[in-house]
Every structure is written in C-alpha cells, then in structure tokens.
C-alpha cells in the first residue's frame, strides 16, 4: 500500500482531497542543513494535536525525537536539522521526512599541478552512466539544476566539504601542507562511504601524526640514542634516513616514508626538534633518563611513557577465549518437534545408507498401524500422503544421500575473531587462598566523620562503607606491583540500596583519611553506562557537605572529552592493527596516546590530583592505553555487568587499569552464566578464583556432569558454594531485608507454570493470538520449517526468531506506515489486533481509573513510535519516549535529557504514561511517581528487566508497586513468549543461587520468581 493510499484510508478523505493528503512539512536546504516548516497557524495547531495529517503527526514525532537527541533545533514554525544529522538518517526516517533519494552516482577527481605547487587544484565532478556533471552542494543535498537533488551520505558530505574549503583558499594559502591535507581528508571520506576515484593520488597514504613519541636505542658502550617516533608505523631506521628531508628552520614540514606522506604540523615539528636536539644520552646518565625522562625532554612536546599496571604484560592482538555457556539448554522456538513436517524433511535426517534403510522400515510399520506421522532424527514427518513419501525415498535412492553441511558432517568451523588490539593481560593462574584471610582481617580503625556528608546513611549503607574502607586499608598496605595483592571487591547489593552513595562516601574517606602515606591524593575514576553520568554528577552534590574533589570531569563526547584529547587524535581502540609485529605485539613506543596525561601535560592534564573523572565503558574502550597509564586512587565500575565478557576490549581495559582499589558495583553479578561471575571477580581480585580454565573445570563441569533431572539442583548447590568461596570479597543485601518500610511489590505474569502462584499476582496478563496475528505467527513457523527442509538454517534462526517476536507484538508492525491512527477509536482498533496490546489496553484503562502512572518498557523503536501515536490519541497525552537516542546529559538548554523527561512525566498530576527502552533507561533513573511497570517486550537478559522494574521500586516509593509481564499465547504450541519466560526463569535461578548467602529451597526460588 502506497503512502498516499495509507493516509487516505486513515483520514477517510475523498479522492478530490488527494493533494491535501500528501501534505507534510515543507522543507528547504540552507548552508548548514534542512529546514522543516509549516505555516505558523498550522504548526501551532499541530503541536497542540488539534489538527494535522497523519504524515505531519509522524513527522513531528520524529523531529521532536531528533530534537531531544540534540540532532535538531526548533525554529519559529518548525525545525532545523543540521547536515551532519541528515546524512546519518536511515531510510525509514528519510521516507517519513520525504527526503530526496541518496546520490546514486560516483565522484571523479582530476588533479592539476603537483602537491608542492601553489597551483595545485583538485577538480571534482559527479559521474553518472550517461556522463559527468558539475554540481552545487546546499547543506546535505547535491543539486543539479533547479529541480534535481540528491541526499549525501556522511563520507560524501565530508569529501565535498573538504574540497570546497581547499577550492576557496587564496593562492598564497595553498601550500604543500594544505594540499596534502586535502588528499588526506578525501582518503578519509572514501573510507567513510564516498564513491570517489583517487587513483590520481598515486596511492600515497597521507598521515598526520597524533603526537611525537621517543624511541631509545642502547649501544654496546651503555649509551642511548633517542629518535622521534611518529606513531605511523615507521621504524626508527626508516625515519633516520629521512630527517634530512626536513627543514629544521621551518615551523612545519613533510617527510615521505615509502608510500606514506607524513605531515608535520608546527606543534609536531617542535616535538621532532626537541628529540633531535637531545639525541645522545651518555652511559653514566642513562639511569637518570629512565627514572625521569622529563628532565631531558619537554613532555609538553614529546609523549613520554608513564608505565602500565602490574597486570598489563604489553599491547598486541587479543586472543579470543572460549567463553560460551556450555550449560545452555536448546529450546524448540519454532515448534519443529511437535509439528509434523512435510516428507521433504527426510532429506535432512537421512545421512547414510543405514538411515535410509531404517526410515523405510519405520515408514512401512507406521503405515501398517495407520499412523499419519513417523519420528526420526528428532523430527516428526507427515506420512499421510504415502505416495509423496515414497517419491522422496525413491529420489534419495536415485540421486544418492544428500551431502551435509560442514556443521552436520563434522565439527563446527570456528569463526575467526575480528582483529583487535588492546592491552595484553597476565593471567591470574594461581589460587591465593590467603586472600580470603586478608579480607576477613581487614578492618577500619575509625568511624567516618559523618558530619562531612550532607545526609546520614541508612544502617546497611554504613555497613557497606565500613566494608569498603576495610578492604581499601588492606589494599594500601600491600605492594602496588604485586599482581596478587588485595585490590578490590564486589558490591552486589540489590538495586535501590544506594550503591552510588556508598561508593562516593568511600572515595571521600579515601581522600580525607590517613590510610595512605601519599602526600598527593590521586585522581578518582568512575566508569558507568552513559545513562548514569548525569546521576553521578547530581549525587556528588547531594552526598557531600564540602566536596572533596578538585573538580569533576565528564570524559565523554559532547562534554569534556574534547578538552583533554590530543589535537587530531584518533580513538586508541582501532589504531594499532597495522603496527603488529610477527609476535602480534606492538612496541609501546609506537602507541599513539590520545589523551593528555602525565605530570608534564600542563593545564590540559587529565589526571590531576583529587580530580573525579566520570566516563563510560565505551570511552574506556576507545582510550584504553591512556587510561591504563594513569595511576588512579580508586576506580568504581558502576553497573559492572558491562564487563562480564573477557573477550571485549572494555573488559580487558578494565582489568588493565592501574588503581589502589577497584570497586565493582552491580546488583546482577550473574546475568547469563557462572562465567559472568568469574569475569567480575577476576577484575576485582585476581587470584581469588584462578584462571578461566581452572574455574570452568572446578565449577561448571560438575553441573554438566549431573543428570538432566538433577541439574537444576546441582546448579543451585554450585552457586551457593561459589558464593561462600568468595567470602568477604562480595557484599550482597536485598531491599526487602534492608528497607522494611518499602511497600509491597506484586508481579503479574502472563505465564504461570507453577502451582506456587505468587502472592497478589491475580490479574490475567495473557491472551491467545487470533485472526491476523495468529496467521502472521504461523506464517513465520511455516516459512522456517519449509526452509529447514532443504537449507542450512545456521545464521537464519536469529532473524526468524526476531520475526516471531515481532509477530507476537503486532501482526503489522513491519508495515508501520499502515498503522497511522487519526482517531481514538481507530487507535484502539489497531491495538486490539494484538493479543498482548489488547491486554495492555485493558490494563491502562484500569490504571487511568485509579489516576496513577505507568511506565511501558519495550526495545523496538517502531513499536515505541506507533504506541506513542495510539496512546496520545486514546488518552489525550503527549507520551514521552526514552530510548538510546535520548541524551543522558544536557547538550543545549532547550533539549530535554532523560531526567528532564522524567521530571515532566512526574509533574503532570494523576494519570500519565512514559515509554522506555529497558536497555537505555534500565539503570540509574528513579521514577517513584509511577507505581506500574509493564514489560510489553521482555528483554533477553532478566537482569535488564529487573533493573528496569526497579526504577519504580526503590527508596521514596510510597504506593504498592505492580509489575506486569503480558504474554501472547498460541492455541496449539508453546509460543515465543512462553519459551522466553522459561529461558529467563532458568537464568534467574542461577543468579539467585550465587548471590544469596543462605541455602534456598527450589520452591522458595520458584516463588521468588513469581512462577
């Protein structure tokens, strides 16, 4: 159905109103982007939801979402979207905004003169199959005459902008440096998606060094020669032969190394001169140079080595660990074991002549007994059409046994891991049982001076602070270079008990107390999800009467990162692959550090004493080498489950950070498997649980060795024993024990498979799929079954599973354009097409009757958008959406952050709704004005789901809390929602076993999960 027909059916207009139906926002480009606007009166009425076409309503939702993300700006009667945003819109967003198509051609470049000559020019043309043409760029659009325009991609925008800037230079400004920079920027644009022919550049790779380093070569007489390092992969020998090319009297310069052209800007040239001016270190002064290189070289010009932690062995290619969960149970998501398949499926189960003979025997016996199905190879085969079965068997005899894929006939071929470079860690292979004794003996000698803090602790918070301070005191008493010293702990308190407050108090006590003999207090680091950075900033001011930190730096794009980055520096996580040697290692002298760190970095130094640095796990990953060089006092990993996988760069970097003490804070130390717990403890305290191989043999293999019927019980016993083994290195408390004044929490499941029904969970939250939804769901099952009869389904099951999930949400979600609603009745009708959303609608009507507030959790953005449209129509609301696109920190004064959206939601009296993604808003946000949470789309990770629910069940909540898990059921088979519920339940049982301090019976566990 075309967009026009969709709109016509929605607003019910006559054929002569076609022009009106097509009207959306007008758009016009300018030099910086696109303007979307309506006449003033129309725009005001649309904002007030009084009038407007369905297209205009969808457009304003999208434009407002872009505004919330800081990617659009309001204008008098519409919005301005910058070019950099427009070129990054996906096709779905572009279609809603009615943007021109992407540029279908390519670019041709023609060079005149030489790069060393001021007459150097690059002429750029747009090339089409029918020929080339000049063009004009206006914002994000490429124009060919008054009526033909195309949308640029990010690489094309970068390339054209760079070309325009060089084209507009005066002849005197068009020197070799400017010419080489254009060549470099066009190469970057090509790698970013610009289809451009750069063959005229003679395959020269232009490099702009991010810093000047130093390489020391020691001679037989003990003396040392220093050489500049450019960080471009050039060896000292290659560079040695080329320093003569550089005019040392000039401010900048250019050298050529093979096919590389290295552009030395003035500040980099000064660094080269600094090293070359102090080249020779006599033998009797080498020890002084190693001890204090800044006494010989100006560290403001030359990046000096600061040294990694005791756990970092070096830098190189990461070796992939086998960290899969061998305890995972297969699930029959597509009902293949209970639905008879067509005779063609015999081709996938007959793998030998013996199989063929056996199937013929089983087939004959089944026909004699009057059976319509036979079972073989784990599949049910429909044999009601005997002739069809015989035809398949005859074909196999005639053509031979079908060849099997490598996955069916032999071991699975392992996928080569993506090449990444990071810090290489020393494995904590040894088990140090004395660590437990040290932790048990760790005590604080004095109570904190609580008068320094703006609020008094709850008893459990005081206990948590004292636990941390005891471990910190013991950690400071041990040698910093000992891999197996006491160095961290895991605060696994339930969500809502104030882990942020306790962590800040511990930091304050670390800085203020006499536990350390150091005269200078070290910087402190908090690594947290992006959504929590704003929360940490606010908590600092709420926690301290007199803030002990020098200042707070938010090391994040859009905030303070730009102030501490080395000029022109690239992310460190992806820059070193070309520098690997034969041993897959990188010489540390070649590392291009991207942050200003160390004692000689001057005013732009990041690691100032007593500074609190807040950053994200992604920034830790991207700038791992710089951050691992800093000598931190205390590091807090908030929501530490983000470093549960040892194969990620951010986990390796977390383990490699140098710190007096590491605190890992998470309410969910086990999300998917026991391996999560090992990885967290290996970060907090190396040596406590040994290496991964040891841990797997000691703790996981006993579960696998147990009989299937006993495995859950063994899993629980292993988890309890593991909790006891880590002893005082983990502190775990739950809300219900520590906060007796909290109201009751009631969980309403759509699926109840246990006779132990949870207290208060009486509302029916399930409905059977019917009509178009049941047809859509069965179509996915049938399509998967048909494909599996003749194709290898590896790699396709995940996409099929996503289609099942989507069909369970709404049968027409894939056709979002068909779901525009112009009236309340139409919106209700759309929702009733889904079993799950029909249950939701009845629930929301009841919540409105109670004049209470609810949060709706879902991850699919299409569902977020259509639900907002429907719920706005039905209830007369302006429902807010918080997802991964919503900024967590303020970018402009008129852009609402996640917390500001929540304040607006809570400020409205009575009934209100808020849509949240459990991923983006599942942590760090408090919404106690709401007391209903509905998980319309359950998350694969039960920890994310629990974190999301606990946004409303925490300190400050006064009313009983209701958590709803609606489900869509199938009338014949186990549905997607039922399978997912079982998967999450198994993960919850394992988590509870590890984090619970006492033995828990299986029935109690089941009851605690609401099953």
């Amino acid at each position: 159905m075309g967009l026009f027909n969709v709109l016509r059916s929605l607003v019910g207009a006559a054929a002569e109103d076609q022009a009106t139906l097509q009207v959306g926002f007008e758009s016009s480009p300018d030099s910086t982007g696109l303007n979307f606007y309506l006449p003033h009166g129309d725009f005001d009425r649309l904002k007030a939801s009084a009038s407007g076409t369905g297209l205009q309503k969808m457009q304003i939702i999208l434009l407002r979402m872009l505004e919330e993300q800081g990617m659009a700006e309001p204008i008098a009667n519409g919005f301005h979207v910058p070019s950099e945003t427009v070129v990054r819109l996906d096709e779905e967003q572009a279609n809603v905004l009615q943007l021109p198509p992407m540029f279908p051609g390519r670019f041709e470049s023609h060079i005149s003169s030489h790069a060393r000559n001021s007459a150097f020019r690059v002429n750029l043309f747009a090339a089409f199959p029918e020929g080339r043409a000049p063009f004009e760029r206006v914002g994000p659009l490429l124009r060919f005459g008054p009526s033909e325009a195309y949308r640029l991609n990010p690489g094309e925008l970068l390339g054209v902008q760079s070309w325009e800037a060089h084209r507009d230079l005066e002849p005197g400004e068009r020197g070799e440096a400017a010419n080489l920079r254009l060549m470099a920027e066009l190469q970057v644009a090509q790698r970013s998606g610009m289809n451009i022919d750069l063959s005229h550049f003679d395959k020269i790779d232009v490099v702009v060094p991010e810093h000047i380093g130093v390489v020391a070569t020691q001679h037989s007489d003990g003396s040392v020669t220093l050489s500049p390092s450019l960080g471009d992969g050039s060896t000292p020998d290659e560079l040695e032969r080329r320093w003569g090319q550089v005019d040392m009297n000039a401010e900048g310069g250019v050298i050529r190394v093979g096919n590389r052209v290295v552009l030395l800007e003035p500040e980099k040239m000064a660094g080269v001169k600094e090293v070359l001016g102090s080249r020779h270190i006599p033998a009797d002064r080498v020890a002084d140079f190693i001890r204090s290189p800044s006494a010989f070289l100006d560290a403001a010009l030359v990046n000096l080595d600061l040294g990694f932690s005791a756990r970092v062995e070096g830098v190189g290619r990461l070796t992939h660990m086998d960290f899969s969960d061998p305890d995972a149970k297969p699930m029959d998501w597509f009902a293949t074991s209970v639905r008879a398949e067509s005779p063609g499926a015999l081709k996938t189960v007959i793998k030998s002549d013996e199989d063929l003979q056996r199937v013929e025997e089983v087939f004959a016996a089944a026909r004699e007994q009057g059976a319509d199905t036979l079972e073989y190879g784990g599949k049910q085969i429909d044999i009601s059409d005997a002739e069809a079965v015989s035809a398949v068997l005859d074909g196999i005899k005639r053509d031979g046994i079908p060849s099997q894929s490598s996955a069916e006939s032999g071991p699975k071929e392992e996928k080569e891991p993506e090449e990444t470079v990071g810090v290489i860690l020393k494995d904590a292979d040894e088990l140090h049982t004395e660590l437990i004794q040290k932790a048990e003996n760790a005590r604080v000698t004095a109570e904190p001076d609580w008068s320094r803090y703006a609020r008094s602790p709850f008893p459990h918070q005081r206990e948590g602070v004292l636990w941390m301070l005891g471990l910190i005191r013991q950690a400071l008493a041990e040698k910093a270079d000992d891999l197996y010293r006491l160095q961290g702990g895991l605060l696994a308190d339930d969500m809502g008990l104030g882990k942020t407050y306790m962590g800040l108090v511990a930091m304050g006590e670390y800085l203020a107390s006499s536990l350390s003999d150091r005269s200078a207090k070290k910087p402190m680091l908090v690594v947290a999800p992006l959504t929590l950075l704003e929360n940490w900033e606010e908590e600092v001011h709420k926690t301290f009467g007199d803030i002990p930190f020098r200042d707070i730096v938010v090391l994040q794009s859009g905030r303070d990162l730009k102030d501490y980055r080395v000029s022109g520096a690239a992310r460190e996580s992806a820059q070193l692959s070309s520098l690997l040697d034969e041993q897959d290692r990188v010489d540390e002298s070649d590392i291009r550090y991207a942050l200003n760190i160390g004692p000689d970095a001057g005013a732009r130094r990041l690691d100032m004493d007593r500074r609190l640095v807040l950053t994200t796990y992604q920034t830790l990953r991207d700038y791992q080498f710089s951050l691992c060089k800093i000598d931190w006092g205390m590091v807090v990993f908030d929501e530490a489950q983000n470093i549960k996988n040892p194969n990620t760069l951010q986990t390796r970097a977390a383990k490699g950070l140098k710190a007096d003490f590491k605190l890992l804070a998470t309410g969910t130390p086990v999300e998917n498997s026991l391996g999560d717990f090992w990885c967290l403890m290996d970060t907090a305290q190396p040596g406590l649980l040994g290496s991964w191989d040891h841990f797997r043999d000691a703790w996981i293999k006993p579960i696998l060795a147990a009989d299937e019927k006993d495995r859950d019980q063994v899993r629980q016993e292993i988890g309890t024993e593991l909790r006891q083994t880590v002893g005082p290195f983990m502190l775990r408390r739950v809300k219900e024990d520590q906060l007796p004044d909290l109201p009751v929490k009631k969980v309403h499941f759509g699926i109840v498979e246990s006779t132990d029904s949870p207290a208060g969970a009486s509302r029916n939250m399930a409905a059977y799929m019917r009509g178009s939804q049941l047809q859509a769901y069965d179509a996915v099952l049938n399509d998967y079954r048909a494909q599996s009869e003749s194709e290898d389904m590896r790699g396709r099951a995940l996409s099929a599973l996503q289609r099942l999930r989507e069909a369970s949400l709404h049968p027409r979600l894939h056709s979002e354009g068909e779901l525009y609603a112009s009236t309340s009745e139409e919106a209700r009708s759309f929702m009733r097409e889904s079993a799950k959303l029909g249950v939701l609608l009845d629930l929301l009507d009841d919540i409105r009757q109670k004049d209470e507030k609810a949060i709706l959790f879902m991850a699919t953005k299409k569902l977020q958008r259509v639900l907002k449209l429907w719920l706005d129509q039905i209830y007369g609301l302006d429902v807010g959406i918080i997802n991964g696109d919503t900024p967590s920190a303020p970018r402009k004064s008129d852009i609402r952050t996640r917390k500001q959206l929540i304040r607006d939601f809570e400020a409205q009296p009575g009934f209100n709704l808020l849509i949240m993604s459990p991923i983006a808003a599942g942590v760090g946000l408090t919404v106690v004005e709401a007391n209903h949470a509905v998980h319309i789309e359950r998350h694969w990770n039960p920890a994310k789901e629990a974190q999301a629910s606990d946004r409303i069940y925490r300190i400050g909540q006064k009313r009983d809390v209701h958590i709803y898990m609606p489900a869509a059921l199938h009338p014949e088979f186990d549905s997607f929602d039922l399978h997912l519920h079982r998967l999450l339940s198994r993960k919850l049982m394992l988590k509870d076993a590890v984090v619970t301090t006492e033995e828990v019976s299986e029935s109690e566990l089941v009851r605690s999960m609401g099953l």
Side-chain angles (χ1 to χ4, degrees):
M1 177 181 289
L3 181 60
F4 168 75
N5 290 329
V6 170
L7 293 173
R8 182 176 60 183
S9 66
L10 290 175
V11 302
E16 57 268 20
D17 296 326
Q18 291 181 4
T20 302
L21 285 173
Q22 293 180 5
V23 170
F25 275 73
E26 294 289 334
S27 67
S28 64
D30 60 25
S31 61
T32 61
L34 287 179
N35 297 302
F36 295 88
Y37 55 90
L38 291 173
H40 282 286
D42 292 348
F43 184 66
D44 292 339
R45 284 190 291 272
L46 179 62
K47 285 197 299 183
S49 298
S51 67
T53 68
L55 176 60
Q56 290 172 347
K57 291 179 180 180
M58 290 303 296
Q59 286 178 328
I60 198 170
I61 290 172
L62 176 56
L63 290 166
R64 280 177 169 172
M65 290 177 68
L66 292 175
E67 179 190 357
E68 295 290 354
Q69 301 162 36
M71 299 167 68
E73 298 177 349
I75 56 178
N77 56 337
F79 299 86
H80 175 77
V81 184
S83 299
E84 290 73 20
T85 296
V86 174
V87 297
R88 286 176 170 81
L89 295 176
D90 59 36
E91 283 303 313
E92 186 177 4
Q93 294 169 318
N95 289 337
V96 171
L97 295 177
Q98 295 188 317
L99 299 183
M102 300 295 293
F103 174 57
R106 57 186 179 85
F107 292 88
E108 290 183 358
S109 63
H110 295 270
I111 294 177
S112 60
S113 191
H114 195 278
R116 294 191 181 98
N117 196 318
S118 63
F120 176 83
R121 295 285 192 281
V122 175
N123 294 317
L124 205 61
F125 298 94
F128 297 92
E130 57 272 17
R132 68 185 191 186
F135 59 84
E136 175 191 16
R137 182 187 67 87
V138 184
L141 304 182
L142 216 59
R143 277 187 166 175
F144 301 88
S147 60
E148 185 178 4
Y150 299 100
R151 194 166 88 252
L152 296 171
N153 67 34
E156 292 166 344
L157 179 64
L158 170 63
V160 175
Q161 285 178 326
S162 299
W163 171 72
E164 291 171 340
H166 184 271
R167 178 197 61 189
D168 297 338
L169 290 176
E170 295 295 331
E173 299 173 318
R174 201 176 289 115
E176 184 177 21
N179 297 337
L180 289 174
R181 180 170 295 283
L182 172 61
M183 295 166 66
E185 289 173 342
L186 287 177
Q187 288 179 347
V188 172
Q190 184 185 53
R191 291 192 290 269
S192 302
M194 184 180 193
N195 185 359
I196 182 172
D197 177 16
L198 298 179
S199 59
H200 296 285
F201 286 7
D202 296 326
K203 300 182 180 178
I204 291 178
D205 183 18
V206 180
V207 176
V208 180
E210 296 171 2
H211 69 263
I212 301 301
V214 61
V215 176
T217 303
Q218 191 163 25
H219 305 293
S220 58
D221 63 354
S223 65
V224 166
T225 296
L226 304 181
S227 301
S229 168
L230 303 181
D232 68 326
S234 303
T235 67
D237 288 341
E238 286 177 321
L239 293 174
E240 192 66 33
R241 296 190 294 268
R242 287 165 175 80
W243 292 125
Q245 301 175 8
V246 180
D247 181 1
M248 292 299 171
N249 295 319
E251 289 189 0
V254 175
I255 64 173
R256 294 175 180 267
V257 185
N259 287 332
R260 290 190 300 279
V261 173
V262 182
L263 178 64
L264 295 173
E265 296 173 318
E267 64 271 22
K268 306 301 188 303
M269 189 67 176
V272 170
K273 294 177 183 178
E274 175 72 8
V275 176
L276 294 179
S278 305
R279 298 207 70 185
H280 187 68
I281 309 294
D284 60 350
R285 300 206 62 193
V286 169
D288 294 335
F289 173 76
I290 294 173
R291 184 163 46 250
S292 182
S294 59
F296 294 77
L297 297 171
D298 184 351
L301 301 174
V302 182
N303 193 17
L304 301 176
D305 186 10
L306 304 179
F308 287 122
S309 71
R311 190 160 194 191
V312 175
E313 187 178 86
V315 175
R317 178 181 288 142
L318 304 183
T319 302
H320 185 82
M321 293 175 58
D322 181 10
F323 199 65
S324 58
D325 181 12
D327 189 30
K329 294 180 179 178
M331 288 190 169
D332 187 15
W333 296 92
F334 302 102
T336 55
S337 63
V338 295
R339 305 175 79 220
E341 302 188 44
S342 69
L346 289 171
K347 297 177 182 178
T348 65
V349 299
I350 296 178
K351 303 175 182 179
S352 64
D353 291 334
E354 291 76 12
D355 284 338
L356 177 58
Q357 181 179 352
R358 181 58 181 155
V359 166
E360 287 184 315
E361 294 172 355
V362 173
F363 174 52
R367 293 300 297 165
E368 288 181 4
Q369 297 168 7
D372 289 332
T373 63
L374 68 79
E375 182 177 356
Y376 195 84
K379 291 190 175 185
Q380 292 279 346
I381 310 296
D382 183 356
I383 59 171
S384 58
D385 186 345
E387 292 184 0
V389 176
S390 298
V392 171
L393 295 176
D394 291 341
I396 294 175
K397 292 176 184 177
R398 180 183 65 251
D399 302 329
I401 304 296
S403 60
Q404 305 300 319
S405 69
S406 59
E408 296 167 331
S409 60
K412 289 184 179 179
E413 183 179 349
E414 294 187 6
K415 182 180 180 181
E416 187 71 16
E418 181 181 354
E419 183 176 295
T420 53
V421 176
V423 290
I424 305 299
L425 304 172
K426 298 173 185 174
D427 286 333
D429 292 328
E430 303 176 33
L431 284 172
H432 284 249
T433 56
E434 69 273 14
L435 285 169
I436 293 292
Q437 188 63 48
K438 289 180 182 180
E440 289 176 344
N441 294 335
R443 295 289 185 273
V444 290
T445 56
E447 183 87 8
D449 181 1
W450 295 106
S451 66
R452 291 200 297 259
Y453 300 94
R455 46 183 170 158
S456 300
F458 288 96
H460 74 273
Q461 291 174 333
R462 173 185 173 274
E463 176 191 5
V465 169
L466 295 180
W467 167 76
M468 281 184 266
L469 294 180
L471 292 178
I472 291 171
R473 183 172 183 271
Q474 181 63 40
L476 290 172
E478 301 195 25
K479 295 181 179 179
D481 59 354
D482 183 2
L483 174 61
Y484 296 103
R485 69 178 179 90
L486 191 147
Q487 56 187 280
L490 176 60
L491 179 60
D493 276 351
D494 201 1
M495 291 165 284
L497 288 179
K499 294 189 287 294
T500 302
Y501 170 81
M502 288 183 274
L504 284 171
V505 172
M507 286 183 174
E509 292 302 301
Y510 170 93
L511 291 174
S513 71
S514 58
L515 293 179
S516 172
D517 294 330
R518 300 171 177 83
S519 57
K521 303 302 180 184
K522 298 181 181 181
M524 319 292 272
L525 176 67
V526 172
V527 187
L530 179 62
T531 53
L532 292 187
L533 297 187
E534 185 182 4
N535 182 67
W536 273 90
E537 283 188 278
E538 291 184 357
E539 286 296 317
V540 169
H541 297 281
K542 292 179 181 178
T543 299
F544 297 100
D546 184 15
I547 296 176
F549 308 115
R550 167 195 293 268
D551 55 17
I552 302 175
V553 168
V554 181
L555 197 67
Q556 180 63 24
S557 178
R559 291 294 303 274
D560 303 326
L561 178 61
K562 62 182 182 302
D563 298 329
Y564 298 96
R565 282 186 58 178
V566 175
S567 178
R571 293 179 299 111
E572 296 172 348
S573 60
Q575 62 175 261
L576 297 180
S577 295
S578 63
L579 305 181
L580 291 168
D581 59 22
E582 294 179 356
Q583 285 75 43
D584 283 340
R585 292 299 178 94
V586 173
D587 191 316
E588 290 182 26
S589 64
D590 289 332
I591 297 175
R592 295 167 285 180
Y593 296 97
L595 299 178
N596 288 297
I597 58 175
D600 299 302
R604 299 187 66 186
R605 178 183 179 181
L606 173 64
D607 51 325
M608 299 288 280
D609 65 306
R610 295 186 300 107
R611 168 170 285 163
L612 175 61
V613 178
L614 307 178
T615 195
T616 65
Y617 289 97
Q618 290 72 29
T619 303
L620 171 62
R621 173 199 66 199
D622 292 344
Y623 299 91
Q624 55 180 304
F625 304 127
S626 293
L627 295 174
C628 284
K629 287 280 188 177
I630 296 174
D631 190 10
W632 301 101
M634 187 172 169
V635 175
V636 176
F637 297 100
D638 197 5
E639 300 298 339
Q641 67 274 8
N642 283 277
I643 51 173
K644 68 179 183 294
N645 184 348
N647 288 315
T648 63
L649 282 172
Q650 62 193 36
T651 300
R652 305 288 182 103
K655 294 185 179 185
L657 285 173
K658 181 166 52 177
D660 288 340
F661 188 79
K662 293 179 180 179
L663 176 69
L664 277 68
T666 174
T668 54
V670 178
E671 284 196 328
N672 297 307
S673 70
L674 290 180
D676 301 346
F677 188 70
W678 169 83
C679 192
L680 295 182
M681 291 307 307
D682 186 58
T683 305
Q685 187 53 66
L688 185 62
L689 296 176
S691 67
W692 167 241
D693 290 340
H694 169 84
F695 181 85
R696 184 172 51 196
D697 291 343
W699 299 98
I700 296 180
K701 285 187 177 179
I703 298 175
L704 301 178
D707 292 338
E708 184 66 29
K709 61 182 178 64
D710 300 325
R711 188 164 291 178
D712 283 343
Q713 181 65 30
V714 173
R715 187 183 292 110
Q716 178 185 322
E717 293 171 354
I718 289 289
T720 302
E721 184 181 352
L722 182 58
R723 168 66 186 92
Q724 296 166 349
T725 297
V726 299
F729 283 96
M730 183 171 87
L731 184 64
R732 165 74 176 180
R733 285 83 55 86
V734 297
K735 283 198 296 284
E736 287 78 2
D737 294 339
Q738 306 300 326
L739 302 174
D741 294 334
L742 270 182
V744 174
K745 179 173 74 173
K746 302 176 183 179
V747 182
H748 306 265
F749 280 92
I751 297 167
V752 179
E753 295 192 283
S754 170
T755 57
D756 296 323
S757 179
S762 56
R763 186 181 184 98
N764 179 24
M765 293 304 299
Y768 284 100
M769 293 180 283
R770 57 186 178 81
S772 61
Q773 186 176 31
L774 183 60
Q775 293 172 7
Y777 191 94
D778 283 343
V780 179
L781 296 181
N782 294 332
D783 183 56
Y784 182 87
R785 182 175 65 170
Q787 284 188 289
S788 66
E789 292 179 1
S790 58
E791 301 178 30
D792 180 4
M793 297 302 290
R794 288 178 302 163
R796 302 191 184 188
L798 190 59
S799 61
L801 207 57
Q802 182 59 32
R803 290 170 57 205
L804 277 185
R805 184 188 194 104
E806 188 174 277
S808 300
L809 295 172
H810 195 282
R812 289 197 283 165
L813 195 57
H814 62 281
S815 301
E816 184 181 353
E818 300 178 5
L819 300 176
Y820 302 156
S822 57
T823 65
S824 171
E825 293 74 17
E826 192 170 24
R828 284 182 175 271
S829 176
F830 281 138
M831 290 187 69
R832 294 289 183 194
E833 292 180 16
S834 162
K836 187 180 291 189
L837 298 186
V839 170
L840 171 67
L841 187 57
D842 293 338
L843 172 65
L844 295 182
D845 286 342
D846 290 347
I847 294 174
R848 182 175 60 170
Q849 287 292 110
K850 298 175 182 177
D851 217 22
E852 295 176 342
K853 291 181 171 66
I855 300 178
L856 312 180
F857 289 106
M858 68 204 79
T860 301
K861 291 184 180 179
K862 286 191 289 188
L863 182 62
Q864 294 171 3
R865 290 194 293 266
V866 296
L867 261 185
K868 171 184 168 51
L869 184 65
W870 295 339
L871 297 176
D872 285 354
Q873 291 281 9
I874 294 171
Y875 298 114
L877 299 172
D878 181 11
V879 177
I881 299 176
I882 296 179
N883 56 29
D885 297 330
T886 313
S888 61
R891 293 172 179 165
K892 295 183 180 179
S893 59
D894 57 343
I895 299 298
R896 292 188 296 172
T897 66
R898 298 172 185 191
K899 285 210 164 188
Q900 289 166 339
L901 283 169
I902 289 174
R903 293 190 191 106
D904 293 344
F905 164 73
E906 294 186 317
Q908 177 171 314
F911 175 67
N912 203 358
L913 301 173
L914 183 64
I915 293 173
M916 280 190 181
S917 162
I919 304 170
V923 295
L925 298 176
T926 298
V927 201
V928 292
E929 284 299 312
N931 64 316
H932 299 270
V934 189
H935 291 272
I936 300 170
E937 187 177 9
R938 299 190 67 181
H939 196 278
W940 293 99
N941 189 330
K944 300 289 186 190
E945 191 170 82
Q947 289 164 352
S949 297
D950 277 14
R951 297 313 100 210
I952 68 174
Y953 188 59
R954 56 200 306 117
I955 297 172
Q957 180 58 261
K958 304 300 182 185
R959 290 171 295 185
D960 286 353
V961 167
H962 297 268
I963 311 296
Y964 306 92
M965 310 286 186
L969 304 180
H970 194 285
E972 298 180 62
F973 316 116
D974 290 347
S975 68
F976 173 90
D977 287 345
L978 177 55
H979 281 301
L980 182 56
H981 176 79
R982 290 170 178 166
L983 176 65
L984 300 183
S985 300
R986 189 175 74 243
K987 292 182 179 182
L988 280 171
M989 181 174 290
L990 180 62
K991 183 267 293 184
D992 287 346
V994 175
V995 300
T996 304
T997 57
E998 58 185 2
E999 194 81 21
V1000 179
S1001 69
E1002 185 173 355
S1003 62
E1004 289 173 328
L1005 279 173
V1006 170
R1007 199 173 296 116
S1008 72
M1009 291 185 292
L1011 299 179

